[in-house]
Amino acid sequence: MSQRGGTRGSSTVKQPVGQKKLTNVAVVRLKKHGMRFEVACYQNKVLSWRTRVEKDIDEVLQSHTVYSNVSKGVLAKSKDMIAAFGTNDLSAICTEIMQKGELQVAGKERDSMLSTQKRDIATIVMEKTINTETQRPYTINMIESLMHEIHFAVDPHNSSKKQALEVIGELQKHFPIKRAPMRVRLIVPEESLPSLMEKLNAWNSEIVSKDESGNQVSLVCEIEPSLYRVCEALVRNLHGRLEMLAVSVHFQKDTNVDHYDDHEDFIEPNHHHPTVSLNTAELDEIKLSEELQKQSISTVSNGTDKVVSAVNDDAEKNTAEKNAAEKNAAEAEVVEVKQSKCSTCNAFVGDVKQYREHFKSEWHKHNLRRKTRQLPPLTADECLESIDMSDGKSDLKEYSF
């Protein structure tokens, strides 16, 4: 009894000697001739090897060993490998399993891969399609929402581009969406132009431009992507050539943020809403003034301010006509060249780059300090004189007796 009790109470478990535990493993499985073969690979390396990013198979495989079950460490039998692959060369068998096998991944990793591929598909659909009503592209979030409504499921074994084309076909059945046209240049002999124009009219293609040089005619037109092969064959038969200019063309009059400035509006010729522009400019100037005050740019002492104010009051009367003449000349130039006006300095300062540099200048900062004290602006020359005089007054304070 005592021996049985001692045996039953023993907690010692014998571990196999020389056991090789495979951790951090990605398994690639291939079923062939009713038998299962597996290889052990490093994670995140299999897809790189299949896309030819990683070309060294030794960097992908943990060992050149073929298993029937990697998790249990069961090796495949040689007679099974010969029956299934016709050889027992482990390197060749591992390569075939890597190429044709199915990658076994965890649930979270699989969801992440499918989510990434779905986003790629939606991006391709967005780039290749437009709304038939507005002629503008959909946003990527709208595309994903439409894909959800048609109950689209990502196939990890097919490429994103192929699935994107299938999605476009399904979306066209239910929503106002179509392929964005392609822009091509067709160069054909002059005598072949009537035949080409007849086909383009039948395809409802839009002619963007037409150019004639010698005995050849060059047409820039937009065609449906499905007609590209047919158009290429037609141009080749007419002894011409086709050049691809753009794979997809969207609406060209989209708003560009570069046309707007952060602080003030441009003064454009024939502007129909001057009141709105001025109000917006004034609001922007107030915001800019507050920001500059927060940054403690205005550090001029009260005594210096009084001196500068006295000098500027005398200079304002002498320069009123000069400022009016400069303003009239600048307004006359606006008709020819698009310029920016700084209302703080009451002057035109050129294009966008010059406008931004002007905001960093001492001239603008000085006029901004004057504006906070409700004083009129100074010209560039008057500003330099005022700054020099202020420096002189501050130097004299150091030698007060």
Side-chain angles (χ1 to χ4, degrees):
M1 293 293 293
S2 61
Q3 292 180 354
R4 290 182 181 180
T7 304
R8 186 181 297 113
S10 176
S11 60
T12 304
V13 179
K14 293 184 178 180
Q15 296 288 347
V17 179
Q19 181 183 21
K20 182 179 180 181
K21 293 184 178 181
L22 295 175
T23 58
N24 194 25
V25 176
V27 178
V28 179
R29 179 183 300 166
L30 177 64
K31 291 184 178 180
K32 195 171 184 179
H33 289 271
M35 295 173 285
R36 185 174 71 177
F37 302 94
E38 297 178 350
V39 291
C41 307
Y42 293 102
Q43 288 185 346
N44 304 323
K45 283 290 188 177
V46 179
L47 296 179
S48 300
W49 185 81
R50 288 181 173 177
T51 55
R52 304 301 180 188
V53 175
E54 178 63 61
K55 298 182 180 180
D56 188 2
I57 196 172
D58 292 331
E59 296 293 331
V60 182
L61 292 174
Q62 293 206 1
S63 64
H64 288 265
T65 306
V66 180
Y67 299 85
S68 61
N69 193 321
V70 171
S71 60
K72 295 181 179 181
V74 180
L75 300 179
K77 298 179 181 180
S78 298
K79 64 177 183 179
D80 293 342
M81 291 189 287
I82 294 175
F85 299 99
T87 180
N88 58 357
D89 186 1
L90 295 179
S91 297
I93 296 174
C94 289
T95 302
E96 184 174 349
I97 294 175
M98 290 282 297
Q99 292 174 346
K100 302 178 181 180
E102 181 180 356
L103 177 63
Q104 308 297 307
V105 294
K108 292 184 178 180
E109 188 176 356
R110 183 184 295 105
D111 293 341
S112 177
M113 292 170 58
L114 293 178
S115 177
T116 302
Q117 189 172 8
K118 184 177 181 180
R119 189 77 174 183
D120 294 340
I121 294 172
T123 303
I124 296 174
V125 173
M126 179 192 67
E127 294 173 350
K128 291 183 175 294
T129 59
I130 58 174
N131 189 327
T132 56
E133 298 175 354
T134 62
Q135 303 299 316
R136 297 177 184 271
Y138 286 94
T139 63
I140 189 168
N141 291 330
M142 294 177 66
I143 293 295
E144 289 182 337
S145 177
L146 297 179
M147 291 169 60
H148 178 72
E149 292 186 19
I150 63 174
H151 306 289
F152 172 75
V154 179
D155 184 0
H157 302 291
N158 286 334
S159 65
S160 299
K161 184 177 181 180
K162 181 180 179 181
Q163 295 185 75
L165 297 177
E166 295 175 356
V167 169
I168 294 174
E170 289 295 325
L171 292 177
Q172 288 176 336
K173 299 177 183 179
H174 305 89
F175 305 102
I177 189 173
K178 69 173 184 179
R179 288 287 301 273
M182 307 174 81
R183 180 166 293 177
V184 295
R185 177 182 285 114
L186 309 176
I187 303 174
V188 296
E190 188 175 0
E191 59 272 10
S192 303
L193 182 61
S195 301
L196 179 60
M197 292 300 297
E198 181 180 357
K199 283 291 186 181
L200 293 178
N201 293 332
W203 295 337
N204 295 325
S205 300
E206 180 181 353
I207 306 298
V208 179
S209 64
K210 179 180 179 181
D211 185 23
E212 297 182 5
S213 60
N215 59 348
Q216 288 189 335
V217 180
S218 174
L219 294 176
V220 176
C221 59
E222 296 177 0
I223 63 173
E224 292 293 330
S226 59
L227 299 173
Y228 175 75
R229 299 295 180 187
V230 180
C231 183
E232 184 181 24
L234 174 64
V235 174
R236 192 183 299 111
N237 293 335
L238 295 176
H239 304 287
R241 70 177 187 273
L242 182 147
E243 298 178 359
M244 174 69 67
L245 300 181
V247 177
S248 59
V249 180
H250 295 152
F251 191 67
Q252 297 296 324
K253 295 183 180 180
D254 292 335
T255 303
N256 190 351
V257 295
D258 293 338
H259 297 164
Y260 298 90
D261 192 81
D262 295 333
H263 306 290
E264 297 178 346
D265 295 334
F266 287 111
I267 296 181
E268 298 182 0
N270 300 326
H271 203 286
H272 300 291
H273 305 284
T275 304
V276 176
S277 298
L278 289 176
N279 292 338
T280 305
E282 291 175 357
L283 291 174
D284 292 336
E285 288 169 8
I286 293 173
K287 294 179 181 179
L288 182 62
S289 300
E290 294 175 353
E291 292 177 0
L292 292 176
Q293 288 177 355
K294 291 178 181 179
Q295 297 174 0
S296 301
I297 294 178
S298 179
T299 56
V300 183
S301 63
N302 294 332
T304 306
D305 289 341
K306 293 180 181 179
V307 176
V308 174
S309 299
V311 175
N312 291 336
D313 290 339
D314 296 336
E316 287 169 1
K317 298 179 181 179
N318 298 329
T319 60
E321 297 181 356
K322 183 178 180 181
N323 291 339
E326 291 179 353
K327 181 178 180 181
N328 295 333
E331 291 177 351
E333 294 177 355
V334 168
V335 180
E336 299 179 358
V337 181
K338 184 185 296 184
Q339 292 187 348
S340 303
K341 181 182 178 181
C342 177
S343 60
T344 302
C345 300
N346 193 23
F348 292 88
V349 292
D351 57 10
V352 178
K353 184 176 180 180
Q354 295 173 343
Y355 182 70
R356 290 171 179 167
E357 292 295 331
H358 168 73
F359 266 78
K360 303 176 184 178
S361 64
E362 292 296 331
W363 177 24
H364 180 81
K365 295 177 182 178
H366 188 72
N367 279 329
L368 195 59
R369 290 192 290 267
R370 289 177 57 82
K371 186 174 182 179
T372 57
R373 299 192 300 273
Q374 297 182 351
L375 297 175
L378 300 179
T379 63
D381 296 335
E382 294 169 347
C383 180
L384 291 176
E385 295 176 0
S386 178
I387 293 175
D388 293 340
M389 185 173 295
S390 299
D391 294 340
K393 293 292 182 180
S394 61
D395 292 341
L396 289 176
K397 289 183 178 181
E398 299 178 0
Y399 300 96
S400 59
F401 300 98

